[in-house]
Amino acid sequence: MISRRAFSAGLLACLGGCATHHESGPSSDLPDIGAGYRPDPKSDEAGLWLKLDKVEQNQRRSPGRIRDKPINDLVQDMVCRLAGAYCPDLRPYVIRVPAFNATCAPNGMISIWSGLLLRCHSESQLAAVLGHEIGHYLKRHSLQRLRNSRELDDFAAFFQFQLQGPAAGLIRGLSQDITQASKSMFSRDHEREADALGLALMADAGYAPAACADIWRHIKAEDAAGGESERFDFFLSTHPATTERIDNLDELARRRPPAARPAPDRLNAALGPLRRSFMADEINQGHFKRTDNLLTRLIGDGIDPGGALFYRGELYRRRNRDGDEAIALGNYHDACETADPPAEAFRGVGTIRWRRGETELAREYFRRYLRVAPNADDGDMIRKYLSGA
Amino acid sequence: MIRLVSLLLLLLAAGCTPYRLIPAGKVEFTDHGSVETPIDWNWRPIDTVHTWTLDGPNLQEMLFHLGIEDGKTLMNALDVESGFNPLLVWFGKVPDEVSFRFHKRMTEHEIMDLFTASMSKITESPVVASGLMPADLGGHQGFRFDYAFVGKDEVRRRGFAVGAVVKDKLYLIHYVGTALYHYDRNRADAERVAASFVFAGKD
Amino acid sequence: MCRWCRLVAAFLLAGLAGCATQSYRTIDALPRGAAAPRILVMPPDIELSELTAGGSVEMNAEWTRAAERHLKTAIREHLQRIQASFVEYRAPADDAPEAEILDQLQPLHATVGQSILAFHFEPQKRLPSKKDKFDWSLGPAVTHLAGHADADYALFVWVRDSYSSPARVALQFVAAMAGGIPVGGGVQTGLCSLVDLKTGQVVWFNALKPREEGDMRELEATRRTTAFLLDRMPK
């Protein structure tokens, strides 16, 4: 799992952890997985696989799965470039969830969340994430994590039950922290191992290894913008871990010679209009500063600037504090001037002008909206604005 | 996360309140208006919203958001800022969360956008709206649109909404049901209820 | 281990245990024309899990696979015994045109079933507009099932069962000694419906009340659970 922050308290696993400064070494006491591996049907691993096969069956036919051919073809091709002989054992799925996460299950199911694709600027950055996940798979990390967390859960329940009285709540919280900290320690070793292996895989495939640290720099910047780094949390402060991770990845990338045959960058072509729908999901999250940081970065790096400017306008228009309306209008205008403006940017200008009472200016932009999107399904509404009613 | 949990708790708590019968005929909403329904419904208030159903809220539901004032959210439970710790606010350390609020100057597109963003929060699934067009609510110029989403139970759902802004307040009525069956079954009934809305204080 | 676990659990929570099903129907017998009505048996939706002391639920593959096999066998035996004509469902190919509708019917049934549990089983929670009538439907989309399998009725079965791990049984024991913080044991819940494939109407519905017995890892116990579930199914 690559997620850098918890989506539920129990999942706070990946990067957090109290100070574990011991050098990363192979943390795995299991043999690496072989190509075409299947678990012994009597083992607990077989139970896990069956459960995951059910999850996968649901995921394959889930309405939340993104089925667009170009992006699915691309991730499948990338998995094969990265995993070589293991390619037939790995099955990537693109899932519509607006959060930065990817997972690789022990049965070979890889889930790539749309919020992660939105944050990848290049194919190399996506390769960094996929390489990392394939690293977890090869080292069989999630099986170990599952076994370990089960023991920890059992421990925590006893711990909590025996405590009664006024201090119980406090101590119960502490016992949860201890459980989580141990899980975090455990998984930080895994993350380090998967980082190193993932970087090797992607660089071997011709991708730019500097991309591995870049993606974490993006996340660190978003965390900082969202105020995450200001939170004091002894066990789970994610910030130093991200910094350390970036340093490690930078160092590993420096040691790689330049690729003999650089890999192509097909991400933006494969995502196409999907990226805008991911932006729409992103602004629905209701995070202002974090999303503003993300969209501003996309605009700066020229990643679909038309879409990013429009959605940045939407973000400010929705917040509606003093001055936000002007910023929204500016972003819509800028979006209209890009090479590939979303039709909605013209409507956005019209909307703001209309509510300001600048009727004629508004109508000009509503007309431009209809010229760009003559079959828009809100055409009747727009024509009502134009008709002078 | 905590806000989301409290929203869920609220909806769960509402789950314990039994439904009461709304017989066919005229139904008054105190201070806001009235409708005529051709069939019996079951009524249960949640938060600031009146909800009606025939087979249970997960199969089909009609919701009335009536008289939402400038600066308010569609439901009180969606107001994340009201749950911020006042001490943290005092020290300027507020979480990076913003509520989606109604503003009296909003255009129709903005209200549809407010609706989909709010519903996406409630359903925890992307809600998509389409087909915005002018419509009439209780004799006032307003708008209507359709919407769709897939619930956490993997069941596809469809809905329509009709609304208007009157005296700076938002009135929004919508109906949603399973795409395979329940939406279509009582859609015509729901349309008649929405079309019959009369604002309070009118003859 | 778990026969012992369940014994302890049953002992501790004897008040809650007890076989209990509750069923509702709109017809007493399947109407018979020249040919016997054909029942399409949907794949039973079943999961057996282990409850760890920490309260997390993990599906157990061996148990689930065994229970799935046992349940299919038990349903088949039951339908043979009542001399019903039946056929088992075969999933369409992923790209078949009706695949999406057929895929939606299983989750729709689960949602309708949960609504029946929530709004019909306890009289004080009933929806008053239904006037105590048992009136629930999956709608006309089920005709796709009729066409897919050439059947008159579909039988949907949904079961969730969990079993305590030894650590959790010990925890239940300690909790009981210390004055009764309720720590739930493994619980079996299930529901099944017979759906008229011409109209989508649920003509018969049965639910197991949550109970702490009935080990579906064994064929004999699965037969008993199946008997509870299907016993009063109209013939």
Side-chain angles (χ1 to χ4, degrees), chain B residues 48-69:
Chain B
T48 53
V49 186
H50 295 275
T51 77
W52 292 9
T53 186
L54 294 162
D55 297 291
N58 291 329
L59 298 180
Q60 86 280 82
E61 189 164 38
M62 188 158 193
L63 299 100
F64 302 82
H65 305 260
L66 302 175
I68 295 171
E69 291 171 19

mmCIF file with all atom_site columns, all heavy atoms in Angstrom, chain B residues 48-69:
data_model
loop_
_atom_site.group_PDB
_atom_site.id
_atom_site.type_symbol
_atom_site.label_atom_id
_atom_site.label_alt_id
_atom_site.label_comp_id
_atom_site.label_asym_id
_atom_site.label_entity_id
_atom_site.label_seq_id
_atom_site.pdbx_PDB_ins_code
_atom_site.Cartn_x
_atom_site.Cartn_y
_atom_site.Cartn_z
_atom_site.occupancy
_atom_site.B_iso_or_equiv
_atom_site.pdbx_formal_charge
_atom_site.auth_seq_id
_atom_site.auth_comp_id
_atom_site.auth_asym_id
_atom_site.auth_atom_id
_atom_site.pdbx_PDB_model_num
ATOM 1   N N   . THR B 1 48 ? -32.748 18.672 9.228  1.00 0.00 ? 48 THR B N   1
ATOM 2   C CA  . THR B 1 48 ? -33.721 19.692 8.845  1.00 0.00 ? 48 THR B CA  1
ATOM 3   C C   . THR B 1 48 ? -34.585 19.248 7.671  1.00 0.00 ? 48 THR B C   1
ATOM 4   O O   . THR B 1 48 ? -35.312 20.046 7.097  1.00 0.00 ? 48 THR B O   1
ATOM 5   C CB  . THR B 1 48 ? -32.975 20.964 8.409  1.00 0.00 ? 48 THR B CB  1
ATOM 6   O OG1 . THR B 1 48 ? -32.027 20.583 7.405  1.00 0.00 ? 48 THR B OG1 1
ATOM 7   C CG2 . THR B 1 48 ? -32.252 21.599 9.573  1.00 0.00 ? 48 THR B CG2 1
ATOM 8   N N   . VAL B 1 49 ? -34.485 17.979 7.312  1.00 0.00 ? 49 VAL B N   1
ATOM 9   C CA  . VAL B 1 49 ? -35.089 17.518 6.067  1.00 0.00 ? 49 VAL B CA  1
ATOM 10  C C   . VAL B 1 49 ? -36.296 16.629 6.358  1.00 0.00 ? 49 VAL B C   1
ATOM 11  O O   . VAL B 1 49 ? -36.267 15.806 7.265  1.00 0.00 ? 49 VAL B O   1
ATOM 12  C CB  . VAL B 1 49 ? -34.048 16.706 5.258  1.00 0.00 ? 49 VAL B CB  1
ATOM 13  C CG1 . VAL B 1 49 ? -34.606 16.340 3.895  1.00 0.00 ? 49 VAL B CG1 1
ATOM 14  C CG2 . VAL B 1 49 ? -32.765 17.494 5.115  1.00 0.00 ? 49 VAL B CG2 1
ATOM 15  N N   . HIS B 1 50 ? -37.367 16.813 5.564  1.00 0.00 ? 50 HIS B N   1
ATOM 16  C CA  . HIS B 1 50 ? -38.479 15.864 5.604  1.00 0.00 ? 50 HIS B CA  1
ATOM 17  C C   . HIS B 1 50 ? -38.165 14.764 4.602  1.00 0.00 ? 50 HIS B C   1
ATOM 18  O O   . HIS B 1 50 ? -37.832 15.051 3.456  1.00 0.00 ? 50 HIS B O   1
ATOM 19  C CB  . HIS B 1 50 ? -39.783 16.536 5.171  1.00 0.00 ? 50 HIS B CB  1
ATOM 20  C CG  . HIS B 1 50 ? -40.223 17.618 6.110  1.00 0.00 ? 50 HIS B CG  1
ATOM 21  N ND1 . HIS B 1 50 ? -40.952 17.373 7.234  1.00 0.00 ? 50 HIS B ND1 1
ATOM 22  C CD2 . HIS B 1 50 ? -40.020 18.959 6.093  1.00 0.00 ? 50 HIS B CD2 1
ATOM 23  C CE1 . HIS B 1 50 ? -41.187 18.505 7.878  1.00 0.00 ? 50 HIS B CE1 1
ATOM 24  N NE2 . HIS B 1 50 ? -40.630 19.480 7.201  1.00 0.00 ? 50 HIS B NE2 1
ATOM 25  N N   . THR B 1 51 ? -38.263 13.490 5.028  1.00 0.00 ? 51 THR B N   1
ATOM 26  C CA  . THR B 1 51 ? -38.055 12.405 4.072  1.00 0.00 ? 51 THR B CA  1
ATOM 27  C C   . THR B 1 51 ? -39.307 11.554 3.997  1.00 0.00 ? 51 THR B C   1
ATOM 28  O O   . THR B 1 51 ? -39.953 11.298 5.005  1.00 0.00 ? 51 THR B O   1
ATOM 29  C CB  . THR B 1 51 ? -36.864 11.505 4.449  1.00 0.00 ? 51 THR B CB  1
ATOM 30  O OG1 . THR B 1 51 ? -37.247 10.633 5.521  1.00 0.00 ? 51 THR B OG1 1
ATOM 31  C CG2 . THR B 1 51 ? -35.659 12.315 4.890  1.00 0.00 ? 51 THR B CG2 1
ATOM 32  N N   . TRP B 1 52 ? -39.638 11.165 2.773  1.00 0.00 ? 52 TRP B N   1
ATOM 33  C CA  . TRP B 1 52 ? -40.777 10.283 2.527  1.00 0.00 ? 52 TRP B CA  1
ATOM 34  C C   . TRP B 1 52 ? -40.268 9.018  1.823  1.00 0.00 ? 52 TRP B C   1
ATOM 35  O O   . TRP B 1 52 ? -39.336 9.085  1.029  1.00 0.00 ? 52 TRP B O   1
ATOM 36  C CB  . TRP B 1 52 ? -41.790 10.932 1.572  1.00 0.00 ? 52 TRP B CB  1
ATOM 37  C CG  . TRP B 1 52 ? -42.516 12.118 2.099  1.00 0.00 ? 52 TRP B CG  1
ATOM 38  C CD1 . TRP B 1 52 ? -42.279 12.799 3.254  1.00 0.00 ? 52 TRP B CD1 1
ATOM 39  C CD2 . TRP B 1 52 ? -43.607 12.791 1.459  1.00 0.00 ? 52 TRP B CD2 1
ATOM 40  N NE1 . TRP B 1 52 ? -43.149 13.849 3.375  1.00 0.00 ? 52 TRP B NE1 1
ATOM 41  C CE2 . TRP B 1 52 ? -43.982 13.860 2.282  1.00 0.00 ? 52 TRP B CE2 1
ATOM 42  C CE3 . TRP B 1 52 ? -44.312 12.584 0.277  1.00 0.00 ? 52 TRP B CE3 1
ATOM 43  C CZ2 . TRP B 1 52 ? -45.019 14.731 1.962  1.00 0.00 ? 52 TRP B CZ2 1
ATOM 44  C CZ3 . TRP B 1 52 ? -45.342 13.444 -0.053 1.00 0.00 ? 52 TRP B CZ3 1
ATOM 45  C CH2 . TRP B 1 52 ? -45.703 14.517 0.792  1.00 0.00 ? 52 TRP B CH2 1
ATOM 46  N N   . THR B 1 53 ? -40.912 7.901  2.093  1.00 0.00 ? 53 THR B N   1
ATOM 47  C CA  . THR B 1 53 ? -40.562 6.687  1.366  1.00 0.00 ? 53 THR B CA  1
ATOM 48  C C   . THR B 1 53 ? -41.785 5.785  1.256  1.00 0.00 ? 53 THR B C   1
ATOM 49  O O   . THR B 1 53 ? -42.794 6.001  1.951  1.00 0.00 ? 53 THR B O   1
ATOM 50  C CB  . THR B 1 53 ? -39.410 5.929  2.053  1.00 0.00 ? 53 THR B CB  1
ATOM 51  O OG1 . THR B 1 53 ? -39.021 4.829  1.224  1.00 0.00 ? 53 THR B OG1 1
ATOM 52  C CG2 . THR B 1 53 ? -39.818 5.387  3.418  1.00 0.00 ? 53 THR B CG2 1
ATOM 53  N N   . LEU B 1 54 ? -41.679 4.780  0.380  1.00 0.00 ? 54 LEU B N   1
ATOM 54  C CA  . LEU B 1 54 ? -42.735 3.763  0.262  1.00 0.00 ? 54 LEU B CA  1
ATOM 55  C C   . LEU B 1 54 ? -42.237 2.395  0.713  1.00 0.00 ? 54 LEU B C   1
ATOM 56  O O   . LEU B 1 54 ? -42.949 1.651  1.359  1.00 0.00 ? 54 LEU B O   1
ATOM 57  C CB  . LEU B 1 54 ? -43.221 3.684  -1.194 1.00 0.00 ? 54 LEU B CB  1
ATOM 58  C CG  . LEU B 1 54 ? -43.921 4.957  -1.658 1.00 0.00 ? 54 LEU B CG  1
ATOM 59  C CD1 . LEU B 1 54 ? -43.992 5.024  -3.174 1.00 0.00 ? 54 LEU B CD1 1
ATOM 60  C CD2 . LEU B 1 54 ? -45.321 5.037  -1.054 1.00 0.00 ? 54 LEU B CD2 1
ATOM 61  N N   . ASP B 1 55 ? -40.989 2.070  0.349  1.00 0.00 ? 55 ASP B N   1
ATOM 62  C CA  . ASP B 1 55 ? -40.443 0.743  0.641  1.00 0.00 ? 55 ASP B CA  1
ATOM 63  C C   . ASP B 1 55 ? -39.183 0.804  1.489  1.00 0.00 ? 55 ASP B C   1
ATOM 64  O O   . ASP B 1 55 ? -38.501 -0.199 1.642  1.00 0.00 ? 55 ASP B O   1
ATOM 65  C CB  . ASP B 1 55 ? -40.103 0.018  -0.672 1.00 0.00 ? 55 ASP B CB  1
ATOM 66  C CG  . ASP B 1 55 ? -41.333 -0.223 -1.523 1.00 0.00 ? 55 ASP B CG  1
ATOM 67  O OD1 . ASP B 1 55 ? -42.168 -1.038 -1.122 1.00 0.00 ? 55 ASP B OD1 1
ATOM 68  O OD2 . ASP B 1 55 ? -41.469 0.430  -2.572 1.00 0.00 ? 55 ASP B OD2 1
ATOM 69  N N   . GLY B 1 56 ? -38.845 1.966  2.002  1.00 0.00 ? 56 GLY B N   1
ATOM 70  C CA  . GLY B 1 56 ? -37.605 2.098  2.754  1.00 0.00 ? 56 GLY B CA  1
ATOM 71  C C   . GLY B 1 56 ? -36.656 3.032  2.022  1.00 0.00 ? 56 GLY B C   1
ATOM 72  O O   . GLY B 1 56 ? -36.644 3.060  0.791  1.00 0.00 ? 56 GLY B O   1
ATOM 73  N N   . PRO B 1 57 ? -35.863 3.805  2.769  1.00 0.00 ? 57 PRO B N   1
ATOM 74  C CA  . PRO B 1 57 ? -35.035 4.851  2.158  1.00 0.00 ? 57 PRO B CA  1
ATOM 75  C C   . PRO B 1 57 ? -33.991 4.311  1.192  1.00 0.00 ? 57 PRO B C   1
ATOM 76  O O   . PRO B 1 57 ? -33.559 5.034  0.309  1.00 0.00 ? 57 PRO B O   1
ATOM 77  C CB  . PRO B 1 57 ? -34.369 5.518  3.361  1.00 0.00 ? 57 PRO B CB  1
ATOM 78  C CG  . PRO B 1 57 ? -34.489 4.536  4.483  1.00 0.00 ? 57 PRO B CG  1
ATOM 79  C CD  . PRO B 1 57 ? -35.718 3.739  4.216  1.00 0.00 ? 57 PRO B CD  1
ATOM 80  N N   . ASN B 1 58 ? -33.592 3.046  1.330  1.00 0.00 ? 58 ASN B N   1
ATOM 81  C CA  . ASN B 1 58 ? -32.601 2.518  0.397  1.00 0.00 ? 58 ASN B CA  1
ATOM 82  C C   . ASN B 1 58 ? -33.212 2.083  -0.918 1.00 0.00 ? 58 ASN B C   1
ATOM 83  O O   . ASN B 1 58 ? -32.499 1.808  -1.868 1.00 0.00 ? 58 ASN B O   1
ATOM 84  C CB  . ASN B 1 58 ? -31.846 1.342  1.021  1.00 0.00 ? 58 ASN B CB  1
ATOM 85  C CG  . ASN B 1 58 ? -30.958 1.806  2.146  1.00 0.00 ? 58 ASN B CG  1
ATOM 86  O OD1 . ASN B 1 58 ? -30.455 2.934  2.115  1.00 0.00 ? 58 ASN B OD1 1
ATOM 87  N ND2 . ASN B 1 58 ? -30.788 0.973  3.150  1.00 0.00 ? 58 ASN B ND2 1
ATOM 88  N N   . LEU B 1 59 ? -34.539 2.015  -0.965 1.00 0.00 ? 59 LEU B N   1
ATOM 89  C CA  . LEU B 1 59 ? -35.191 1.607  -2.215 1.00 0.00 ? 59 LEU B CA  1
ATOM 90  C C   . LEU B 1 59 ? -35.744 2.823  -2.963 1.00 0.00 ? 59 LEU B C   1
ATOM 91  O O   . LEU B 1 59 ? -35.527 2.959  -4.147 1.00 0.00 ? 59 LEU B O   1
ATOM 92  C CB  . LEU B 1 59 ? -36.287 0.581  -1.928 1.00 0.00 ? 59 LEU B CB  1
ATOM 93  C CG  . LEU B 1 59 ? -35.742 -0.716 -1.289 1.00 0.00 ? 59 LEU B CG  1
ATOM 94  C CD1 . LEU B 1 59 ? -36.855 -1.708 -1.029 1.00 0.00 ? 59 LEU B CD1 1
ATOM 95  C CD2 . LEU B 1 59 ? -34.655 -1.353 -2.142 1.00 0.00 ? 59 LEU B CD2 1
ATOM 96  N N   . GLN B 1 60 ? -36.467 3.695  -2.247 1.00 0.00 ? 60 GLN B N   1
ATOM 97  C CA  . GLN B 1 60 ? -36.791 4.984  -2.861 1.00 0.00 ? 60 GLN B CA  1
ATOM 98  C C   . GLN B 1 60 ? -37.079 5.991  -1.752 1.00 0.00 ? 60 GLN B C   1
ATOM 99  O O   . GLN B 1 60 ? -37.485 5.615  -0.641 1.00 0.00 ? 60 GLN B O   1
ATOM 100 C CB  . GLN B 1 60 ? -37.931 4.926  -3.878 1.00 0.00 ? 60 GLN B CB  1
ATOM 101 C CG  . GLN B 1 60 ? -39.328 5.064  -3.337 1.00 0.00 ? 60 GLN B CG  1
ATOM 102 C CD  . GLN B 1 60 ? -39.803 3.773  -2.769 1.00 0.00 ? 60 GLN B CD  1
ATOM 103 O OE1 . GLN B 1 60 ? -39.494 3.427  -1.654 1.00 0.00 ? 60 GLN B OE1 1
ATOM 104 N NE2 . GLN B 1 60 ? -40.544 3.012  -3.563 1.00 0.00 ? 60 GLN B NE2 1
ATOM 105 N N   . GLU B 1 61 ? -36.820 7.249  -2.043 1.00 0.00 ? 61 GLU B N   1
ATOM 106 C CA  . GLU B 1 61 ? -36.975 8.275  -1.017 1.00 0.00 ? 61 GLU B CA  1
ATOM 107 C C   . GLU B 1 61 ? -37.256 9.604  -1.703 1.00 0.00 ? 61 GLU B C   1
ATOM 108 O O   . GLU B 1 61 ? -36.677 9.914  -2.739 1.00 0.00 ? 61 GLU B O   1
ATOM 109 C CB  . GLU B 1 61 ? -35.696 8.368  -0.177 1.00 0.00 ? 61 GLU B CB  1
ATOM 110 C CG  . GLU B 1 61 ? -35.843 9.260  1.042  1.00 0.00 ? 61 GLU B CG  1
ATOM 111 C CD  . GLU B 1 61 ? -34.736 9.051  2.075  1.00 0.00 ? 61 GLU B CD  1
ATOM 112 O OE1 . GLU B 1 61 ? -33.577 8.848  1.670  1.00 0.00 ? 61 GLU B OE1 1
ATOM 113 O OE2 . GLU B 1 61 ? -35.030 9.107  3.269  1.00 0.00 ? 61 GLU B OE2 1
ATOM 114 N N   . MET B 1 62 ? -38.149 10.394 -1.078 1.00 0.00 ? 62 MET B N   1
ATOM 115 C CA  . MET B 1 62 ? -38.412 11.745 -1.551 1.00 0.00 ? 62 MET B CA  1
ATOM 116 C C   . MET B 1 62 ? -37.997 12.684 -0.428 1.00 0.00 ? 62 MET B C   1
ATOM 117 O O   . MET B 1 62 ? -38.334 12.451 0.733  1.00 0.00 ? 62 MET B O   1
ATOM 118 C CB  . MET B 1 62 ? -39.895 11.892 -1.868 1.00 0.00 ? 62 MET B CB  1
ATOM 119 C CG  . MET B 1 62 ? -40.221 13.185 -2.534 1.00 0.00 ? 62 MET B CG  1
ATOM 120 S SD  . MET B 1 62 ? -41.757 13.101 -3.460 1.00 0.00 ? 62 MET B SD  1
ATOM 121 C CE  . MET B 1 62 ? -41.575 14.622 -4.394 1.00 0.00 ? 62 MET B CE  1
ATOM 122 N N   . LEU B 1 63 ? -37.224 13.719 -0.767 1.00 0.00 ? 63 LEU B N   1
ATOM 123 C CA  . LEU B 1 63 ? -36.679 14.598 0.280  1.00 0.00 ? 63 LEU B CA  1
ATOM 124 C C   . LEU B 1 63 ? -37.064 16.043 0.015  1.00 0.00 ? 63 LEU B C   1
ATOM 125 O O   . LEU B 1 63 ? -37.082 16.493 -1.136 1.00 0.00 ? 63 LEU B O   1
ATOM 126 C CB  . LEU B 1 63 ? -35.151 14.469 0.341  1.00 0.00 ? 63 LEU B CB  1
ATOM 127 C CG  . LEU B 1 63 ? -34.635 13.072 0.683  1.00 0.00 ? 63 LEU B CG  1
ATOM 128 C CD1 . LEU B 1 63 ? -34.195 12.351 -0.577 1.00 0.00 ? 63 LEU B CD1 1
ATOM 129 C CD2 . LEU B 1 63 ? -33.488 13.143 1.664  1.00 0.00 ? 63 LEU B CD2 1
ATOM 130 N N   . PHE B 1 64 ? -37.349 16.758 1.094  1.00 0.00 ? 64 PHE B N   1
ATOM 131 C CA  . PHE B 1 64 ? -37.760 18.156 1.009  1.00 0.00 ? 64 PHE B CA  1
ATOM 132 C C   . PHE B 1 64 ? -36.782 19.002 1.821  1.00 0.00 ? 64 PHE B C   1
ATOM 133 O O   . PHE B 1 64 ? -36.736 18.880 3.047  1.00 0.00 ? 64 PHE B O   1
ATOM 134 C CB  . PHE B 1 64 ? -39.164 18.346 1.572  1.00 0.00 ? 64 PHE B CB  1
ATOM 135 C CG  . PHE B 1 64 ? -40.220 17.520 0.885  1.00 0.00 ? 64 PHE B CG  1
ATOM 136 C CD1 . PHE B 1 64 ? -40.405 16.186 1.226  1.00 0.00 ? 64 PHE B CD1 1
ATOM 137 C CD2 . PHE B 1 64 ? -41.026 18.075 -0.092 1.00 0.00 ? 64 PHE B CD2 1
ATOM 138 C CE1 . PHE B 1 64 ? -41.374 15.416 0.597  1.00 0.00 ? 64 PHE B CE1 1
ATOM 139 C CE2 . PHE B 1 64 ? -42.013 17.314 -0.728 1.00 0.00 ? 64 PHE B CE2 1
ATOM 140 C CZ  . PHE B 1 64 ? -42.175 15.986 -0.384 1.00 0.00 ? 64 PHE B CZ  1
ATOM 141 N N   . HIS B 1 65 ? -35.989 19.815 1.120  1.00 0.00 ? 65 HIS B N   1
ATOM 142 C CA  . HIS B 1 65 ? -35.137 20.798 1.803  1.00 0.00 ? 65 HIS B CA  1
ATOM 143 C C   . HIS B 1 65 ? -35.848 22.132 1.627  1.00 0.00 ? 65 HIS B C   1
ATOM 144 O O   . HIS B 1 65 ? -35.866 22.676 0.523  1.00 0.00 ? 65 HIS B O   1
ATOM 145 C CB  . HIS B 1 65 ? -33.755 20.873 1.157  1.00 0.00 ? 65 HIS B CB  1
ATOM 146 C CG  . HIS B 1 65 ? -33.041 19.555 1.080  1.00 0.00 ? 65 HIS B CG  1
ATOM 147 N ND1 . HIS B 1 65 ? -32.069 19.184 1.981  1.00 0.00 ? 65 HIS B ND1 1
ATOM 148 C CD2 . HIS B 1 65 ? -33.141 18.529 0.201  1.00 0.00 ? 65 HIS B CD2 1
ATOM 149 C CE1 . HIS B 1 65 ? -31.606 17.982 1.660  1.00 0.00 ? 65 HIS B CE1 1
ATOM 150 N NE2 . HIS B 1 65 ? -32.235 17.564 0.585  1.00 0.00 ? 65 HIS B NE2 1
ATOM 151 N N   . LEU B 1 66 ? -36.451 22.646 2.678  1.00 0.00 ? 66 LEU B N   1
ATOM 152 C CA  . LEU B 1 66 ? -37.326 23.808 2.509  1.00 0.00 ? 66 LEU B CA  1
ATOM 153 C C   . LEU B 1 66 ? -36.804 25.014 3.285  1.00 0.00 ? 66 LEU B C   1
ATOM 154 O O   . LEU B 1 66 ? -36.548 24.932 4.487  1.00 0.00 ? 66 LEU B O   1
ATOM 155 C CB  . LEU B 1 66 ? -38.745 23.474 2.973  1.00 0.00 ? 66 LEU B CB  1
ATOM 156 C CG  . LEU B 1 66 ? -39.398 22.285 2.239  1.00 0.00 ? 66 LEU B CG  1
ATOM 157 C CD1 . LEU B 1 66 ? -40.752 21.958 2.838  1.00 0.00 ? 66 LEU B CD1 1
ATOM 158 C CD2 . LEU B 1 66 ? -39.509 22.553 0.749  1.00 0.00 ? 66 LEU B CD2 1
ATOM 159 N N   . GLY B 1 67 ? -36.635 26.117 2.573  1.00 0.00 ? 67 GLY B N   1
ATOM 160 C CA  . GLY B 1 67 ? -36.277 27.366 3.224  1.00 0.00 ? 67 GLY B CA  1
ATOM 161 C C   . GLY B 1 67 ? -34.847 27.417 3.743  1.00 0.00 ? 67 GLY B C   1
ATOM 162 O O   . GLY B 1 67 ? -34.597 27.901 4.841  1.00 0.00 ? 67 GLY B O   1
ATOM 163 N N   . ILE B 1 68 ? -33.890 26.939 2.943  1.00 0.00 ? 68 ILE B N   1
ATOM 164 C CA  . ILE B 1 68 ? -32.485 27.008 3.360  1.00 0.00 ? 68 ILE B CA  1
ATOM 165 C C   . ILE B 1 68 ? -31.995 28.442 3.218  1.00 0.00 ? 68 ILE B C   1
ATOM 166 O O   . ILE B 1 68 ? -32.096 29.048 2.144  1.00 0.00 ? 68 ILE B O   1
ATOM 167 C CB  . ILE B 1 68 ? -31.635 26.049 2.521  1.00 0.00 ? 68 ILE B CB  1
ATOM 168 C CG1 . ILE B 1 68 ? -32.091 24.618 2.816  1.00 0.00 ? 68 ILE B CG1 1
ATOM 169 C CG2 . ILE B 1 68 ? -30.156 26.215 2.814  1.00 0.00 ? 68 ILE B CG2 1
ATOM 170 C CD1 . ILE B 1 68 ? -31.493 23.614 1.905  1.00 0.00 ? 68 ILE B CD1 1
ATOM 171 N N   . GLU B 1 69 ? -31.472 28.965 4.317  1.00 0.00 ? 69 GLU B N   1
ATOM 172 C CA  . GLU B 1 69 ? -31.104 30.377 4.321  1.00 0.00 ? 69 GLU B CA  1
ATOM 173 C C   . GLU B 1 69 ? -29.699 30.606 3.787  1.00 0.00 ? 69 GLU B C   1
ATOM 174 O O   . GLU B 1 69 ? -28.881 29.689 3.741  1.00 0.00 ? 69 GLU B O   1
ATOM 175 C CB  . GLU B 1 69 ? -31.230 30.927 5.751  1.00 0.00 ? 69 GLU B CB  1
ATOM 176 C CG  . GLU B 1 69 ? -32.683 30.992 6.185  1.00 0.00 ? 69 GLU B CG  1
ATOM 177 C CD  . GLU B 1 69 ? -32.833 31.327 7.659  1.00 0.00 ? 69 GLU B CD  1
ATOM 178 O OE1 . GLU B 1 69 ? -31.875 31.851 8.241  1.00 0.00 ? 69 GLU B OE1 1
ATOM 179 O OE2 . GLU B 1 69 ? -33.913 31.035 8.192  1.00 0.00 ? 69 GLU B OE2 1
#
